[in-house]
Amino acid sequence: MRNFKGYCLFIIFTLLLTGCSGVEKEKPSSNTKITIESYNISEKEKMLISKTGVGQIEFFKLNGTLKADDNLQFSVEEFENGKFKKELLNTSDGPKTKFKDSIISFGISGMEDKDHSLKLLTGVTSGLDTTKYSNNMTMSSFSKLIGEKVTLEKNKPAYLVVWLGTTKNSLSSVESENGELPTGIEEAEIALLYKVLWTDKEKK
């Protein structure tokens, strides 16, 4: 059953990423601009995703043009009591430089597992990247951090989604403006933040 759910999830992400995204490989223009905004999925898409075992997921639309020596990095960072602890996952979109309504996403599954381990899912236009995250949290929340369209600034991270975890009986909410590092994460025992960063390509 787990293999079947994993296969279904892969197919759904493939359909979303190919059917809803436009990635062009034309020569990038000199006017570099990258924007991100929420993407609201249809009822049919919600029904399909509900059959994959994914507990929570948020989708976003990516538009704009990169220069040839630029890169977009998608990562998940762990914060403990408001302080950065480590990077759990990092992926990029490779050689792609032009994006037109390209779909990216961050989601989690496995919340019902007895060991409280989570499967973190990062969808980019080139595919799906996953990693496992073990924890002992007994209460959690999952929320989107942006409401309006956000324009990326080079070398400045944009935080799109947060997962909060606690072993206590209550969980405070966090707030973010235009993708800034959210305020209030210092009140959470654990915070997982989905981040997008526009940066230079690493030189080989």
Side-chain angles (χ1 to χ4, degrees), residues 33-184:
K33 182 180 179 181
I34 300 293
T35 63
I36 297 175
E37 60 186 302
S38 294
Y39 171 72
N40 297 317
I41 61 176
S42 67
E43 290 301 318
K44 183 177 181 180
E45 289 167 337
K46 287 181 182 178
M47 182 185 69
L48 290 171
I49 292 170
S50 70
K51 299 180 184 300
T52 66
V54 175
Q56 301 279 354
I57 191 165
E58 292 288 350
F59 293 91
F60 303 89
K61 286 195 300 185
L62 183 65
N63 282 283
T65 303
L66 292 174
K67 293 181 180 179
D69 56 354
D70 285 343
N71 186 37
L72 282 182
Q73 293 182 355
F74 307 88
S75 61
V76 181
E77 296 179 340
E78 180 186 21
F79 286 74
E80 190 173 294
N81 298 314
K83 295 182 178 180
F84 174 80
K85 187 176 180 182
K86 61 186 175 184
E87 187 176 73
L88 301 174
L89 183 152
N90 188 306
T91 188
S92 71
D93 247 341
K96 298 178 179 64
T97 58
K98 295 198 76 175
F99 305 90
K100 184 177 180 182
D101 290 340
S102 302
I103 301 299
I104 60 173
S105 64
F106 174 63
I108 57 175
S109 65
M111 293 184 295
E112 73 283 356
D113 291 352
K114 292 182 180 180
D115 63 356
H116 300 288
S117 65
L118 301 175
K119 188 175 185 180
L120 310 181
L121 313 164
T122 300
V124 295
T125 60
S126 57
L128 178 67
D129 201 1
T130 67
T131 191
K132 278 263 189 163
Y133 175 69
S134 298
N135 67 97
N136 64 345
M137 301 296 103
T138 55
M139 182 183 294
S140 65
S141 67
F142 182 89
S143 58
K144 182 169 51 179
L145 292 173
I146 64 169
E148 304 294 328
K149 182 185 294 186
V150 171
T151 299
L152 296 185
E153 296 180 31
K154 195 167 186 179
N155 297 317
K156 181 180 179 180
Y159 296 94
L160 306 184
V161 183
V162 61
W163 178 89
L164 300 174
T166 184
T167 56
K168 301 175 183 177
N169 294 324
S170 63
L171 194 61
S172 300
S173 60
V174 299
E175 295 181 356
S176 176
E177 185 174 346
N178 297 322
E180 301 279 349
L181 184 68
T183 58

Side-chain angles (χ1 to χ4, degrees), residues 6-21:
Y7 176 75
C8 290
L9 180 60
F10 176 78
I11 294 298
I12 290 169
F13 269 97
T14 301
L15 291 173
L16 283 169
L17 296 174
T18 57
C20 301
S21 66

